[in-house]
Amino acid sequence: MSAYNIVSIAGSDPSGGAGIQADLKAFSAHGTFGMSVITALTAQSTRGVTGVHPVPADFVVRQMDTLFSDATVHAVKVGMLGTAEVTEAVAAAIGRHGLPNVVVDPVMVAKSGDRLLEASAIKALRTELLPRADLLTPNLPEAADLLEEAEATDLAGMRDQARRLLELGPRRVLLKGGHLAGGESVDVLVSRDGEDREFSAPRVATRNTHGTGCTLSSSIAALLPQRPDPATAVADAKAYLTQALRRADEIDAGGGQGPVHHFHAWW
């Protein structure tokens, strides 16, 4: 059987640690064939983002229509969209093409603190894209932005916010707890059918965490068509990311927050 085709719809990161570049590495690490639709160019390194150049919405749509009219797609990861126009266009194209296994990672702010989603685009994200998502994977600041409230500070608050994010339309929500304190990093998975699960892993002591959100969401997208259920895909993706963090210090890609080691199993 040929490899599963997984598409990343996201921005480009020249440093290779996040965005399209990280997604393609994660797709490959999970034995799938990666494809991409680029929504924005960034001038970026491990130290931060110095510029963002959005791709016009009509050209994003042309990329999608051209690709999806030819290739069979088994899953989609949606990352950085940048503008309201691109967000609306991507949501419409996902619906028009009936794409399966849509994982939405609501990229809003880079780890450096640089904003990657215009404030005006958050409404379009909520109303147009999230109802088309099979899985939404926000971190705590992103969940707070989507709900327009303060960040959760404990596991009970995470569960509450995750359930209320379901009301925005996604079939499932994986709320990531990496921003909480403690020796364990705990994520919460909830679904419209009542699923409520926790995924815990030891917190890894490294500053090289650039692209962790991109890598987790793209790993889940790659595993969804290969696993018997979404919870198994999430568990396996989290285990992969934990190992990628443990080996992250072996990569020397700059003087700031470096990337995780996507190919830790091979070199």
Side-chain angles (χ1 to χ4, degrees), residues 149-199:
E149 61 187 47
E151 291 180 30
T153 57
D154 55 27
L155 199 54
M158 284 180 61
R159 274 207 187 83
D160 178 61
Q161 288 195 340
R163 291 192 189 102
R164 283 186 290 112
L165 285 169
L166 285 174
E167 297 173 8
L168 298 179
R171 294 180 63 189
R172 293 176 179 83
V173 173
L174 179 71
L175 183 52
K176 301 174 293 187
H179 287 76
L180 292 182
E184 295 285 313
S185 175
V186 182
D187 304 334
V188 172
L189 177 68
V190 298
S191 69
R192 289 190 207 167
D193 60 10
E195 186 173 25
D196 187 336
R197 296 189 55 170
E198 293 177 17
F199 301 86

Side-chain angles (χ1 to χ4, degrees), residues 58-266:
D58 60 350
F59 196 76
V60 173
V61 171
R62 181 174 296 190
Q63 292 178 73
M64 295 178 72
D65 288 346
T66 301
L67 176 60
F68 300 149
S69 65
D70 176 50
T72 299
V73 175
H74 299 97
V76 179
K77 177 266 175 80
V78 181
M80 176 187 175
L81 297 174
T83 68
E85 293 78 13
V86 168
T87 303
E88 292 165 356
V90 166
I94 286 172
R96 186 168 64 253
H97 290 282
L99 300 179
N101 294 318
V102 177
V103 178
V104 174
D105 187 30
V107 177
M108 297 178 176
V109 179
K111 278 200 168 53
S112 59
D114 300 283
R115 179 159 282 278
L116 299 176
L117 182 72
E118 294 178 355
S120 61
I122 296 177
K123 180 180 178 181
L125 181 64
R126 288 192 197 101
T127 60
E128 303 296 328
L129 184 58
L130 296 194
R132 301 191 186 278
D134 293 294
L135 176 65
L136 173 67
T137 64
N139 59 29
L140 297 185
E142 291 161 348
D145 270 1
L146 288 169
L147 293 170
E148 298 183 297
E149 61 187 47
E151 291 180 30
T153 57
D154 55 27
L155 199 54
M158 284 180 61
R159 274 207 187 83
D160 178 61
Q161 288 195 340
R163 291 192 189 102
R164 283 186 290 112
L165 285 169
L166 285 174
E167 297 173 8
L168 298 179
R171 294 180 63 189
R172 293 176 179 83
V173 173
L174 179 71
L175 183 52
K176 301 174 293 187
H179 287 76
L180 292 182
E184 295 285 313
S185 175
V186 182
D187 304 334
V188 172
L189 177 68
V190 298
S191 69
R192 289 190 207 167
D193 60 10
E195 186 173 25
D196 187 336
R197 296 189 55 170
E198 293 177 17
F199 301 86
S200 181
R203 195 175 298 277
V204 178
T206 177
R207 72 170 182 172
N208 295 320
T209 58
H210 182 54
T212 52
C214 299
T215 298
L216 181 63
S217 58
S218 55
S219 295
I220 295 169
L223 290 169
L224 279 174
Q226 303 186 72
R227 297 295 186 265
D229 54 72
T232 305
V234 169
D236 289 351
K238 188 171 176 70
Y240 162 80
L241 177 60
T242 299
Q243 288 301 113
L245 283 163
R246 284 176 174 153
R247 298 278 300 277
D249 292 353
E250 297 175 21
I251 305 294
D252 182 9
Q257 286 186 310
V260 303
H261 194 332
H262 295 91
F263 297 118
H264 58 269
W266 293 271

Side-chain angles (χ1 to χ4, degrees), residues 39-65:
T39 59
L41 305 178
T42 69
Q44 185 173 178
S45 71
T46 64
R47 298 182 186 276
V49 180
T50 62
V52 175
H53 182 70
V55 175
D58 60 350
F59 196 76
V60 173
V61 171
R62 181 174 296 190
Q63 292 178 73
M64 295 178 72
D65 288 346

